[in-house]
Amino acid sequence: MKLIIAEKPSLARNIAGAIGNMKKYPRYFEGGDYIVTWAFGHLFSLADIENYSPNPDGETRWTMKNLPCFPEKFEFELKKNSDKTVDSGVKQQFDTIKELCLRSDVNEIINAGDADREGEIIVRTCVMKTQCTDKPFMRLWLPDQTEETIRQGLLEMKEEASYDNLAKEGYARTFIDWLYGVNLTRYATLKSGTLMRVGRVIVPIVKAIYDRDMQIRNFKPDIYYAPYSMTEQGGGEVELTSKQKFDKNELSKAQELCVRYNEAKGVVTSKKVKKDTLSPGKLFSLTKLQNVLGKKYKMPMDESLRIVQGLYEKGYVTYPRTNSEYMATAEKGKVKQILSAVEKLGYPVKFKDGKTIFDDSKIESHSALTPTYKIPDKTALSEDEAKVYSAIMRRFVAVFCSEECVAQKNEIKIDVGGMEEFVLKGTVILEPGWTKYDDYNKKDKILPNLEKGDIIDVSFVPKEKETSPPKHYTIETLNNYLKNPFREEKANAQNEDDEEEYRAIFEGLELGTEATRTGIIENAIKSKYIALKKDVYTILPDGENLIVSLSRMGISMDKYKTSYLGQALKKVYKGEITVKDSILITQKEISRIFEKTQSSAEKDTDDGFVGDVVGVCPRCGGNVVRTKFGYGCDRYKDGCKLSINNVILDRVISVSNVKLLLETGKTSKIEGFVSKKTGKTFSAVLKLHDDGVVFDF
């Protein structure tokens, strides 16, 4: 008997349906030569810090006494509920998997986890925990869940060892994220007194939105002038905007240039008219699909992923968590099969070949997201399912459309006195072709009827313009940033050269992956760090506090650090370094943060941990304790009002200075205060005054 372990019940049902004639038992199917059971996604999670380094005082509260924690060996345990008890359903399902693995008539085990690094380690971990090591272990890799693909996949399985590097990358990612998340979340929470979710990917995502919103908030618009002319000639408008810019104090210079331009007039130096075919966009990766759905329907990423995952599990689309917009050359036969099904719907499609569609060099694990040959009944889809499926289908039809989109492109160049050349461009769609099926939002732009040598009357005047602030991140622009945070933001033409984008993906420069980004962004929203309204992201007060607090603590989780670790994961996948090497890189980074904390007291920047007693209250003799907001007397309920902020004018007030203040009434001279009025830094001594402190210059 062959035991297939699927990642989820839905996949197990589809596999059982494809095999056929299988009897359903509690928690598994059996029939013929196969047994099919399932996990519920992750049945196991990494054990918590207390399993490796118990609190020496036996307390269950978080403490600095067992931080940082670097396990010699990571241990997986069955997932627990919030009350720390093992989930009964999870235990029952694992017990079933273990019993089936150890059954004497089972002579082969098959990993049918989702076709990615997470799915790879989910089933591996289950099998590892059964301690069943003496049976052949195979891998069922499914690009979609149609019956034909499942049956074909069962005939073409590879040994599980062929996917060892993918598993190593998956485990390395799990260990690294645990090290960062557990150590730094506890550290930052103990330091601030507020739960702070610190993760390898969530922090740089929140920071990107924070930085953009701070740029917008602090933006001061400025006036400038640009020579501008609008006249009518050749049956249309001749609109010319100069590239010359003059600041608000140079109006007279702008006027002088306008006079010279008007005296010179304009001459048409060239006119080009040509017919051209416009190419459709590429097939969808998950991110590009989410960009379209977010822009068109304001559909949040978690919602679009949930819907497309459901369509995949029903067999209507291919594996969704793909980062590629290309098909593998080996899939040409599969594409022809899909086209045959699509053609029956009445779409004008034909098979096309070429590097813009088939390119093995731009596929890491999965090809682009496409429909399968299994076409759903539209009445069986919900309204949102129909939107998502339609977007995928229409893009597929556009790419393989047999009707070309033909356009007339015009370009007119106008020279003004040899001082500046202006270029007018217009495009008119002559034959719509694929634009009838996929979105194409550019409107026809008709140029005036001008010919080479025509003299153009111009009427330049200085046009007052205002500099614009950056725009908030949208679903599309944030996704584009996360795919390559080191590329300058620009409007993405549908068929721009994407070599740089794929290089960034394959090197691990992206922040998160197609499989993880959606969940991490949703976690940031649930944590109230960021907000999503329609398709626009903004920072929230808790998000601001997170970024500012981490900066003060010396925790740098920016795009550079996260990409550095992402590159390490790719090196594990390529076999260039080991899982242990990647863990050591992470441990060094975390150790630097804790070492910095230990030495920060000497640098007068350590404000201690919430709950620390820092001295005796000079007012009433009570204890002065570090709180969420600073330092305060623990006899506040008895009326003592002594309170000292831990941050004053952007300067951390250290424990050492507070101790000095309590003992002598004054701190030492503190440098680095920032004036709210001027923005300049200054130095001062703090002294006790009434129930707080004042500056003593």
Side-chain angles (χ1 to χ4, degrees):
M1 297 286 285
K2 297 178 181 180
L3 172 63
I4 302 173
I5 305 174
E7 181 173 330
K8 297 172 187 172
S10 59
L11 176 56
R13 288 193 296 270
N14 289 341
I15 292 172
I19 294 171
N21 298 317
M22 300 198 81
K23 184 177 179 181
K24 190 177 188 311
Y25 294 89
R27 294 180 286 282
Y28 69 96
F29 299 91
E30 185 171 349
D33 294 330
Y34 290 98
I35 302 170
V36 182
T37 188
W38 58 86
F40 303 129
H42 288 279
L43 293 183
F44 289 86
S45 59
L46 285 175
D48 223 333
I49 282 180
E50 284 69 28
N51 289 59
Y52 309 108
S53 180
N55 189 326
D57 300 329
E59 294 183 12
T60 56
R61 294 183 307 173
W62 290 357
T63 173
M64 284 294 294
K65 293 176 183 177
N66 54 10
L67 294 179
C69 178
F70 300 139
E72 286 290 324
K73 181 182 178 183
F74 286 94
E75 297 291 341
F76 286 91
E77 59 183 15
L78 284 171
K79 286 184 75 172
K80 295 179 179 178
N81 298 313
S82 57
D83 62 359
K84 302 296 184 183
T85 60
V86 175
D87 184 279
S88 59
V90 166
K91 185 177 186 308
Q92 279 186 327
Q93 194 60 35
F94 173 67
D95 287 345
T96 299
I97 292 171
K98 184 174 182 178
E99 180 183 332
L100 293 171
C101 282
L102 298 176
R103 249 174 64 166
S104 59
D105 62 337
V106 169
N107 52 24
E108 183 177 299
I109 298 172
I110 299 168
N111 180 348
D114 276 357
D116 58 21
R117 67 184 183 189
E118 287 300 300
E120 183 61 38
I121 67 172
I122 282 172
V123 176
R124 277 195 185 222
T125 303
C126 287
V127 175
M128 175 185 69
K129 296 298 283 189
T130 68
Q131 299 182 332
C132 180
T133 58
D134 59 346
K135 297 178 180 180
F137 200 11
M138 306 298 287
R139 183 61 157 110
L140 176 60
W141 189 268
L142 299 174
D144 64 61
Q145 292 189 22
T146 58
E147 291 186 356
E148 184 173 319
T149 297
I150 292 169
R151 287 194 285 264
Q152 190 66 30
L154 288 169
L155 298 174
E156 299 174 348
M157 290 188 297
K158 296 180 182 179
E159 291 186 4
E160 177 71 321
S162 302
Y163 298 88
D164 280 353
N165 278 2
L166 183 66
K168 288 175 183 176
E169 182 191 7
Y171 283 120
R173 200 277 306 166
T174 302
F175 301 151
I176 286 174
D177 285 354
W178 186 94
L179 288 167
Y180 264 101
V182 173
N183 281 297
L184 297 187
T185 292
R186 291 192 179 204
Y187 170 81
T189 299
L190 290 167
K191 192 88 171 148
S192 66
T194 301
L195 176 61
M196 290 192 170
R197 291 179 172 85
V198 183
R200 181 177 63 91
V201 180
I202 191 173
V203 172
I205 288 175
V206 175
K207 189 176 189 306
I209 295 167
Y210 167 84
D211 288 343
R212 175 61 57 84
D213 281 19
M214 290 307 104
Q215 289 174 352
I216 295 168
R217 188 180 299 174
N218 299 323
F219 181 80
K220 293 186 174 79
D222 202 4
I223 298 296
Y224 70 94
Y225 297 96
Y228 172 82
S229 171
M230 170 69 83
T231 57
E232 290 190 5
Q233 194 166 335
E237 294 178 340
V238 181
E239 184 178 14
L240 307 177
T241 301
S242 174
K243 294 177 182 177
Q244 301 290 325
K245 294 182 180 179
F246 299 88
D247 69 30
K248 58 188 174 186
N249 299 318
E250 297 180 319
L251 176 58
S252 60
K253 290 184 179 179
Q255 290 171 331
E256 290 173 9
L257 184 61
C258 288
V259 169
R260 293 204 304 273
Y261 279 6
N262 292 336
E263 289 174 348
K265 295 191 176 183
V267 179
V268 176
T269 56
S270 74
K271 179 180 181 179
K272 294 179 182 176
V273 179
K274 67 172 183 177
K275 282 188 179 181
D276 199 3
T277 56
L278 300 184
S279 300
K282 301 189 194 78
L283 296 170
F284 282 131
S285 65
L286 175 60
T287 290
K288 295 300 172 68
L289 173 65
Q290 289 177 315
N291 287 352
V292 167
L293 295 172
K295 193 171 185 177
K296 186 172 183 179
Y297 301 115
K298 313 303 179 193
M299 188 178 287
M301 289 172 60
D302 64 314
E303 186 178 338
S304 58
L305 177 57
R306 176 182 59 79
I307 293 169
V308 75
Q309 179 73 23
L311 292 171
Y312 161 68
E313 290 173 3
K314 292 174 182 176
Y316 298 142
V317 301
T318 56
Y319 184 71
R321 298 170 193 255
T322 174
N323 56 20
S324 182
E325 300 159 274
Y326 295 85
M327 303 292 290
T329 53
E331 294 178 296
K332 292 178 182 179
K334 168 186 163 183
V335 169
K336 290 176 182 177
Q337 183 186 25
I338 300 169
L339 286 169
S340 178
V342 170
E343 192 174 24
K344 291 175 183 177
L345 299 176
Y347 290 114
V349 291
K350 68 176 183 180
F351 178 75
K352 296 180 183 178
D353 208 338
K355 278 279 191 179
T356 58
I357 303 172
F358 299 95
D359 190 343
D360 293 337
S361 71
K362 291 176 180 172
I363 298 172
E364 190 174 37
S365 298
H366 296 282
S367 294
L369 176 52
T370 71
T372 65
Y373 68 84
K374 183 179 177 181
I375 307 296
D377 180 346
K378 288 184 180 180
T379 61
L381 299 180
S382 69
E383 183 180 349
D384 284 338
E385 282 179 323
K387 288 176 181 176
V388 175
Y389 183 79
S390 177
I392 297 168
M393 174 62 81
R394 286 187 287 107
R395 177 57 58 89
F396 184 80
V397 169
V399 169
F400 291 99
C401 187
S402 59
E403 301 171 355
E404 290 187 332
C405 173
V406 181
Q408 179 174 295
K409 292 186 174 182
N410 299 338
E411 181 183 274
I412 297 172
K413 292 183 179 179
I414 298 172
D415 179 78
V416 178
M419 293 176 280
E420 187 170 354
E421 183 179 70
F422 297 83
V423 180
L424 304 179
K425 292 184 178 180
T427 300
V428 177
I429 301 294
L430 302 178
E431 298 172 25
W434 60 264
T435 63
K436 291 187 291 185
Y437 309 103
D438 199 16
D439 293 333
Y440 181 77
N441 298 320
K442 294 179 182 177
K443 295 181 179 179
D444 285 352
K445 184 175 180 182
I446 302 173
L447 296 184
N449 185 20
L450 300 174
E451 301 296 335
K452 184 177 179 180
D454 284 353
I455 304 298
I456 306 297
D457 289 324
V458 293
S459 180
F460 281 98
V461 294
K463 188 171 185 177
E464 183 179 297
K465 296 193 174 186
E466 188 174 83
T467 54
S468 301
K471 293 182 179 179
H472 290 288
Y473 276 116
T474 63
I475 290 174
E476 180 179 20
T477 57
L478 181 65
N479 266 337
N480 291 339
Y481 167 79
L482 297 176
K483 283 180 79 73
N484 185 355
F486 304 99
R487 179 177 62 179
E488 185 178 346
E489 189 176 321
K490 59 184 177 181
N492 282 325
Q494 283 189 315
N495 289 292
E496 67 172 359
D497 183 8
D498 54 16
E499 292 294 334
E500 184 181 358
E501 182 175 299
Y502 281 89
R503 178 186 62 79
I505 292 171
F506 295 158
E507 289 183 8
L509 293 175
E510 60 182 339
L511 301 183
T513 65
E514 305 283 337
T516 62
R517 267 195 291 269
T518 298
I520 293 169
I521 290 172
E522 182 61 18
N523 191 17
I525 293 171
K526 288 179 179 176
S527 300
K528 297 185 177 178
Y529 293 150
I530 61 175
L532 176 63
K533 189 173 182 180
K534 293 188 176 178
D535 70 332
V536 175
Y537 292 106
T538 53
I539 197 74
L540 293 176
D542 285 355
E544 289 187 39
N545 183 52
L546 174 73
I547 300 304
V548 172
S549 297
L550 294 182
S551 177
R552 283 206 303 266
M553 295 175 200
I555 298 178
S556 173
M557 290 299 297
D558 56 17
K559 63 182 181 181
Y560 301 98
K561 189 67 57 64
T562 297
S563 290
Y564 175 58
L565 294 169
Q567 289 174 77
L569 291 176
K570 289 301 178 188
K571 288 179 180 178
V572 171
Y573 175 69
K574 295 173 184 175
E576 297 172 4
I577 64 173
T578 65
V579 174
K580 188 174 182 180
D581 291 333
S582 70
I583 291 171
L584 289 174
I585 291 170
T586 307
Q587 289 179 353
K588 285 179 183 177
E589 293 296 326
I590 294 170
S591 295
R592 285 195 189 102
I593 293 169
F594 282 85
E595 287 164 7
K596 186 174 181 180
T597 300
Q598 292 166 1
S599 63
S600 63
E602 301 170 13
K603 298 178 182 178
D604 192 29
T605 57
D606 179 33
D607 59 349
F609 292 85
V610 170
D612 287 350
V613 176
V614 299
V616 177
C617 177
R619 300 279 186 262
C620 69
N623 288 325
V624 177
V625 180
R626 170 76 161 84
T627 69
K628 279 187 184 182
F629 311 104
Y631 310 89
C633 181
D634 65 357
R635 292 184 180 174
Y636 64 94
K637 289 183 179 178
D638 298 326
C640 186
K641 305 291 187 185
L642 181 72
S643 177
I644 305 162
N645 289 337
N646 66 316
V647 180
I648 298 175
L649 294 182
D650 293 345
R651 176 61 160 91
V652 173
I653 310 303
S654 66
V655 170
S656 58
N657 263 315
V658 172
K659 286 181 177 179
L660 191 61
L661 183 69
L662 297 174
E663 292 167 3
T664 68
K666 286 188 177 184
T667 66
S668 59
K669 190 175 184 180
I670 301 174
E671 298 181 352
F673 293 111
V674 180
S675 170
K676 287 186 176 179
K677 288 184 178 180
T678 66
K680 294 180 180 179
T681 59
F682 65 92
S683 305
V685 171
L686 297 177
K687 69 177 182 179
L688 279 175
H689 177 73
D690 295 334
D691 296 320
V693 296
V694 294
F695 289 112
D696 181 5
F697 294 101

